PDB file of all heavy atoms in Angstrom:
ATOM      1  N   ARG J   3      19.640 -12.896  -0.281  1.00 57.00           N
ATOM      2  CA  ARG J   3      21.016 -12.915   0.173  1.00 57.00           C
ATOM      3  C   ARG J   3      21.432 -14.326   0.574  1.00 57.00           C
ATOM      4  O   ARG J   3      20.720 -14.969   1.247  1.00 57.00           O
ATOM      5  CB  ARG J   3      21.136 -11.938   1.408  1.00 57.00           C
ATOM      6  CG  ARG J   3      22.527 -11.803   1.889  1.00 57.00           C
ATOM      7  CD  ARG J   3      22.609 -10.951   3.055  1.00 57.00           C
ATOM      8  NE  ARG J   3      21.811 -11.510   4.193  1.00 57.00           N
ATOM      9  CZ  ARG J   3      22.407 -11.487   5.366  1.00 57.00           C
ATOM     10  NH1 ARG J   3      23.532 -10.675   5.691  1.00 57.00           N
ATOM     11  NH2 ARG J   3      21.840 -12.072   6.455  1.00 57.00           N
ATOM     12  N   LEU J   4      22.465 -14.808  -0.001  1.00 57.00           N
ATOM     13  CA  LEU J   4      22.903 -16.209   0.471  1.00 57.00           C
ATOM     14  C   LEU J   4      23.606 -16.195   1.727  1.00 57.00           C
ATOM     15  O   LEU J   4      24.477 -15.329   1.924  1.00 57.00           O
ATOM     16  CB  LEU J   4      23.685 -16.812  -0.699  1.00 57.00           C
ATOM     17  CG  LEU J   4      23.048 -16.867  -2.079  1.00 57.00           C
ATOM     18  CD1 LEU J   4      24.057 -17.373  -3.042  1.00 57.00           C
ATOM     19  CD2 LEU J   4      22.025 -17.870  -1.958  1.00 57.00           C
ATOM     20  N   VAL J   5      23.293 -17.099   2.531  1.00 54.00           N
ATOM     21  CA  VAL J   5      23.858 -17.170   3.921  1.00 54.00           C
ATOM     22  C   VAL J   5      24.422 -18.680   3.972  1.00 54.00           C
ATOM     23  O   VAL J   5      23.616 -19.582   3.819  1.00 54.00           O
ATOM     24  CB  VAL J   5      22.939 -16.845   5.113  1.00 54.00           C
ATOM     25  CG1 VAL J   5      23.637 -17.051   6.375  1.00 54.00           C
ATOM     26  CG2 VAL J   5      22.334 -15.407   4.859  1.00 54.00           C
ATOM     27  N   LYS J   6      25.739 -18.881   4.355  1.00 56.00           N
ATOM     28  CA  LYS J   6      26.119 -20.220   4.457  1.00 56.00           C
ATOM     29  C   LYS J   6      25.635 -20.687   5.772  1.00 56.00           C
ATOM     30  O   LYS J   6      25.769 -20.126   6.881  1.00 56.00           O
ATOM     31  CB  LYS J   6      27.692 -20.203   4.484  1.00 56.00           C
ATOM     32  CG  LYS J   6      28.249 -21.544   4.738  1.00 56.00           C
ATOM     33  CD  LYS J   6      29.822 -21.550   4.760  1.00 56.00           C
ATOM     34  CE  LYS J   6      30.314 -22.994   4.811  1.00 56.00           C
ATOM     35  NZ  LYS J   6      31.728 -23.082   4.819  1.00 56.00           N
ATOM     36  N   MET J   7      24.963 -21.934   5.801  1.00 50.00           N
ATOM     37  CA  MET J   7      24.412 -22.605   6.823  1.00 50.00           C
ATOM     38  C   MET J   7      25.428 -23.327   7.672  1.00 50.00           C
ATOM     39  O   MET J   7      26.019 -24.144   7.082  1.00 50.00           O
ATOM     40  CB  MET J   7      23.259 -23.448   6.331  1.00 50.00           C
ATOM     41  CG  MET J   7      22.186 -22.715   5.598  1.00 50.00           C
ATOM     42  SD  MET J   7      21.194 -21.627   6.558  1.00 50.00           S
ATOM     43  CE  MET J   7      20.422 -22.551   7.639  1.00 50.00           C
ATOM     44  N   PRO J   8      25.398 -23.072   9.043  1.00 50.00           N
ATOM     45  CA  PRO J   8      26.338 -23.937   9.678  1.00 50.00           C
ATOM     46  C   PRO J   8      25.933 -25.341   9.866  1.00 50.00           C
ATOM     47  O   PRO J   8      24.649 -25.676   9.677  1.00 50.00           O
ATOM     48  CB  PRO J   8      26.310 -23.158  11.134  1.00 50.00           C
ATOM     49  CG  PRO J   8      24.971 -22.442  11.214  1.00 50.00           C
ATOM     50  CD  PRO J   8      24.611 -22.202   9.738  1.00 50.00           C
ATOM     51  N   ASN J   9      26.730 -26.268  10.198  1.00 52.00           N
ATOM     52  CA  ASN J   9      26.455 -27.669  10.491  1.00 52.00           C
ATOM     53  C   ASN J   9      25.779 -27.756  11.904  1.00 52.00           C
ATOM     54  O   ASN J   9      26.003 -27.075  12.892  1.00 52.00           O
ATOM     55  CB  ASN J   9      27.791 -28.489  10.548  1.00 52.00           C
ATOM     56  CG  ASN J   9      28.360 -28.576   9.182  1.00 52.00           C
ATOM     57  OD1 ASN J   9      27.689 -28.488   8.165  1.00 52.00           O
ATOM     58  ND2 ASN J   9      29.654 -28.771   9.189  1.00 52.00           N
ATOM     59  N   PHE J  10      24.599 -28.464  11.874  1.00 47.00           N
ATOM     60  CA  PHE J  10      23.923 -28.550  13.165  1.00 47.00           C
ATOM     61  C   PHE J  10      23.274 -29.944  13.159  1.00 47.00           C
ATOM     62  O   PHE J  10      22.883 -30.572  12.100  1.00 47.00           O
ATOM     63  CB  PHE J  10      23.000 -27.469  13.413  1.00 47.00           C
ATOM     64  CG  PHE J  10      21.839 -27.434  12.415  1.00 47.00           C
ATOM     65  CD1 PHE J  10      20.612 -27.877  12.687  1.00 47.00           C
ATOM     66  CD2 PHE J  10      21.969 -26.788  11.237  1.00 47.00           C
ATOM     67  CE1 PHE J  10      19.468 -27.835  11.784  1.00 47.00           C
ATOM     68  CE2 PHE J  10      20.976 -26.655  10.278  1.00 47.00           C
ATOM     69  CZ  PHE J  10      19.746 -27.400  10.717  1.00 47.00           C
ATOM     70  N   GLN J  11      22.873 -30.361  14.279  1.00 51.00           N
ATOM     71  CA  GLN J  11      21.960 -31.550  14.563  1.00 51.00           C
ATOM     72  C   GLN J  11      20.614 -30.973  14.469  1.00 51.00           C
ATOM     73  O   GLN J  11      20.259 -30.049  14.874  1.00 51.00           O
ATOM     74  CB  GLN J  11      22.331 -32.213  15.816  1.00 51.00           C
ATOM     75  CG  GLN J  11      23.781 -32.578  16.087  1.00 51.00           C
ATOM     76  CD  GLN J  11      24.176 -33.711  15.049  1.00 51.00           C
ATOM     77  OE1 GLN J  11      23.296 -34.684  14.826  1.00 51.00           O
ATOM     78  NE2 GLN J  11      25.430 -33.726  14.624  1.00 51.00           N
ATOM     79  N   SER J  12      19.708 -31.924  14.039  1.00 48.00           N
ATOM     80  CA  SER J  12      18.301 -31.610  13.769  1.00 48.00           C
ATOM     81  C   SER J  12      17.621 -31.318  15.197  1.00 48.00           C
ATOM     82  O   SER J  12      16.660 -30.551  15.086  1.00 48.00           O
ATOM     83  CB  SER J  12      17.489 -32.769  13.168  1.00 48.00           C
ATOM     84  OG  SER J  12      17.479 -33.902  13.999  1.00 48.00           O
ATOM     85  N   SER J  13      18.109 -31.667  16.272  1.00 50.00           N
ATOM     86  CA  SER J  13      17.576 -31.415  17.522  1.00 50.00           C
ATOM     87  C   SER J  13      18.112 -30.081  18.178  1.00 50.00           C
ATOM     88  O   SER J  13      17.615 -29.574  19.145  1.00 50.00           O
ATOM     89  CB  SER J  13      17.801 -32.534  18.646  1.00 50.00           C
ATOM     90  OG  SER J  13      19.257 -32.681  18.730  1.00 50.00           O
ATOM     91  N   GLU J  14      19.131 -29.485  17.460  1.00 48.00           N
ATOM     92  CA  GLU J  14      19.659 -28.193  17.981  1.00 48.00           C
ATOM     93  C   GLU J  14      19.021 -26.960  17.309  1.00 48.00           C
ATOM     94  O   GLU J  14      18.693 -27.053  16.007  1.00 48.00           O
ATOM     95  CB  GLU J  14      21.162 -28.184  17.680  1.00 48.00           C
ATOM     96  CG  GLU J  14      21.999 -29.217  18.413  1.00 48.00           C
ATOM     97  CD  GLU J  14      23.430 -29.268  18.002  1.00 48.00           C
ATOM     98  OE1 GLU J  14      23.810 -28.162  17.208  1.00 48.00           O
ATOM     99  OE2 GLU J  14      24.168 -30.081  18.470  1.00 48.00           O
ATOM    100  N   SER J  15      19.046 -25.795  17.830  1.00 49.00           N
ATOM    101  CA  SER J  15      18.718 -24.661  17.144  1.00 49.00           C
ATOM    102  C   SER J  15      19.949 -23.836  16.787  1.00 49.00           C
ATOM    103  O   SER J  15      21.014 -24.220  17.515  1.00 49.00           O
ATOM    104  CB  SER J  15      17.786 -23.786  18.142  1.00 49.00           C
ATOM    105  OG  SER J  15      18.394 -23.429  19.232  1.00 49.00           O
ATOM    106  N   PHE J  16      19.944 -22.921  15.994  1.00 45.00           N
ATOM    107  CA  PHE J  16      21.101 -22.224  15.630  1.00 45.00           C
ATOM    108  C   PHE J  16      20.839 -20.812  15.179  1.00 45.00           C
ATOM    109  O   PHE J  16      19.613 -20.423  14.895  1.00 45.00           O
ATOM    110  CB  PHE J  16      21.876 -22.956  14.448  1.00 45.00           C
ATOM    111  CG  PHE J  16      21.024 -22.950  13.122  1.00 45.00           C
ATOM    112  CD1 PHE J  16      21.157 -21.899  12.241  1.00 45.00           C
ATOM    113  CD2 PHE J  16      20.172 -23.905  12.876  1.00 45.00           C
ATOM    114  CE1 PHE J  16      20.577 -21.902  11.063  1.00 45.00           C
ATOM    115  CE2 PHE J  16      19.337 -23.819  11.811  1.00 45.00           C
ATOM    116  CZ  PHE J  16      19.559 -22.885  10.909  1.00 45.00           C
ATOM    117  N   ASN J  17      21.689 -19.942  15.289  1.00 50.00           N
ATOM    118  CA  ASN J  17      21.568 -18.486  14.781  1.00 50.00           C
ATOM    119  C   ASN J  17      22.528 -18.301  13.514  1.00 50.00           C
ATOM    120  O   ASN J  17      23.448 -18.902  13.368  1.00 50.00           O
ATOM    121  CB  ASN J  17      22.100 -17.546  15.941  1.00 50.00           C
ATOM    122  CG  ASN J  17      21.209 -17.597  17.013  1.00 50.00           C
ATOM    123  OD1 ASN J  17      19.941 -17.757  16.934  1.00 50.00           O
ATOM    124  ND2 ASN J  17      21.626 -17.310  18.378  1.00 50.00           N
ATOM    125  N   MET J  18      22.045 -17.373  12.772  1.00 50.00           N
ATOM    126  CA  MET J  18      22.806 -17.033  11.462  1.00 50.00           C
ATOM    127  C   MET J  18      23.947 -16.240  11.964  1.00 50.00           C
ATOM    128  O   MET J  18      24.035 -15.686  13.287  1.00 50.00           O
ATOM    129  CB  MET J  18      21.984 -16.262  10.649  1.00 50.00           C
ATOM    130  CG  MET J  18      20.808 -17.069  10.115  1.00 50.00           C
ATOM    131  SD  MET J  18      19.628 -16.137   9.229  1.00 50.00           S
ATOM    132  CE  MET J  18      20.406 -16.062   7.529  1.00 50.00           C
ATOM    133  N   PRO J  19      25.018 -15.958  11.252  1.00 53.00           N
ATOM    134  CA  PRO J  19      26.187 -15.338  11.641  1.00 53.00           C
ATOM    135  C   PRO J  19      25.939 -13.952  12.209  1.00 53.00           C
ATOM    136  O   PRO J  19      26.656 -13.615  13.131  1.00 53.00           O
ATOM    137  CB  PRO J  19      27.070 -15.187  10.336  1.00 53.00           C
ATOM    138  CG  PRO J  19      26.510 -16.353   9.502  1.00 53.00           C
ATOM    139  CD  PRO J  19      25.123 -16.505   9.869  1.00 53.00           C
ATOM    140  N   ASP J  20      24.985 -13.259  11.819  1.00 54.00           N
ATOM    141  CA  ASP J  20      24.764 -11.807  12.346  1.00 54.00           C
ATOM    142  C   ASP J  20      23.695 -12.030  13.581  1.00 54.00           C
ATOM    143  O   ASP J  20      23.016 -10.900  13.842  1.00 54.00           O
ATOM    144  CB  ASP J  20      24.293 -10.891  11.319  1.00 54.00           C
ATOM    145  CG  ASP J  20      22.995 -11.326  10.485  1.00 54.00           C
ATOM    146  OD1 ASP J  20      22.428 -12.430  10.815  1.00 54.00           O
ATOM    147  OD2 ASP J  20      22.611 -10.609   9.586  1.00 54.00           O
ATOM    148  N   ASN J  21      23.516 -13.164  14.125  1.00 51.00           N
ATOM    149  CA  ASN J  21      22.735 -13.340  15.333  1.00 51.00           C
ATOM    150  C   ASN J  21      21.308 -13.243  15.081  1.00 51.00           C
ATOM    151  O   ASN J  21      20.437 -12.865  16.032  1.00 51.00           O
ATOM    152  CB  ASN J  21      23.106 -12.518  16.482  1.00 51.00           C
ATOM    153  CG  ASN J  21      24.485 -12.776  17.065  1.00 51.00           C
ATOM    154  OD1 ASN J  21      24.935 -13.938  16.893  1.00 51.00           O
ATOM    155  ND2 ASN J  21      25.187 -11.785  17.432  1.00 51.00           N
ATOM    156  N   ARG J  22      20.780 -13.201  13.892  1.00 51.00           N
ATOM    157  CA  ARG J  22      19.449 -13.426  13.590  1.00 51.00           C
ATOM    158  C   ARG J  22      18.938 -14.820  13.434  1.00 51.00           C
ATOM    159  O   ARG J  22      19.708 -15.691  13.226  1.00 51.00           O
ATOM    160  CB  ARG J  22      19.040 -12.675  12.209  1.00 51.00           C
ATOM    161  CG  ARG J  22      19.390 -11.205  12.269  1.00 51.00           C
ATOM    162  CD  ARG J  22      18.926 -10.559  11.050  1.00 51.00           C
ATOM    163  NE  ARG J  22      19.732 -11.064   9.882  1.00 51.00           N
ATOM    164  CZ  ARG J  22      19.434 -11.106   8.550  1.00 51.00           C
ATOM    165  NH1 ARG J  22      18.288 -10.577   8.254  1.00 51.00           N
ATOM    166  NH2 ARG J  22      20.268 -11.503   7.718  1.00 51.00           N
ATOM    167  N   THR J  23      17.703 -15.168  13.666  1.00 50.00           N
ATOM    168  CA  THR J  23      17.194 -16.414  13.513  1.00 50.00           C
ATOM    169  C   THR J  23      17.093 -16.819  12.104  1.00 50.00           C
ATOM    170  O   THR J  23      17.302 -15.922  11.127  1.00 50.00           O
ATOM    171  CB  THR J  23      15.856 -16.688  14.168  1.00 50.00           C
ATOM    172  OG1 THR J  23      14.924 -15.832  13.465  1.00 50.00           O
ATOM    173  CG2 THR J  23      15.923 -16.412  15.662  1.00 50.00           C
ATOM    174  N   ASN J  24      16.878 -18.083  11.702  1.00 49.00           N
ATOM    175  CA  ASN J  24      16.815 -18.446  10.328  1.00 49.00           C
ATOM    176  C   ASN J  24      15.469 -18.221   9.589  1.00 49.00           C
ATOM    177  O   ASN J  24      15.345 -18.526   8.458  1.00 49.00           O
ATOM    178  CB  ASN J  24      17.145 -19.940  10.223  1.00 49.00           C
ATOM    179  CG  ASN J  24      16.287 -20.807  10.837  1.00 49.00           C
ATOM    180  OD1 ASN J  24      15.544 -20.484  11.886  1.00 49.00           O
ATOM    181  ND2 ASN J  24      16.319 -22.173  10.491  1.00 49.00           N
ATOM    182  N   ALA J  25      14.562 -17.706  10.309  1.00 55.00           N
ATOM    183  CA  ALA J  25      13.234 -17.524   9.800  1.00 55.00           C
ATOM    184  C   ALA J  25      13.190 -16.282   8.855  1.00 55.00           C
ATOM    185  O   ALA J  25      13.856 -15.315   9.063  1.00 55.00           O
ATOM    186  CB  ALA J  25      12.259 -17.249  10.872  1.00 55.00           C
ATOM    187  N   ILE J  26      12.430 -16.427   7.652  1.00 54.00           N
ATOM    188  CA  ILE J  26      12.282 -15.377   6.811  1.00 54.00           C
ATOM    189  C   ILE J  26      11.123 -14.507   7.354  1.00 54.00           C
ATOM    190  O   ILE J  26      10.144 -15.005   7.551  1.00 54.00           O
ATOM    191  CB  ILE J  26      11.894 -15.847   5.416  1.00 54.00           C
ATOM    192  CG1 ILE J  26      13.129 -16.694   4.872  1.00 54.00           C
ATOM    193  CG2 ILE J  26      11.700 -14.763   4.400  1.00 54.00           C
ATOM    194  CD1 ILE J  26      12.726 -17.465   3.537  1.00 54.00           C
TER     195      ILE J  26
END
Side-chain angles (χ1 to χ4, degrees):
R3 183 177 72 136
L4 298 177
V5 177
K6 183 176 179 181
M7 301 297 290
N9 294 330
F10 68 96
Q11 300 296 324
S12 62
S13 61
E14 297 176 1
S15 63
F16 66 95
N17 290 328
M18 293 171 83
D20 58 1
N21 294 327
R22 292 182 298 159
T23 63
N24 64 335
I26 298 172

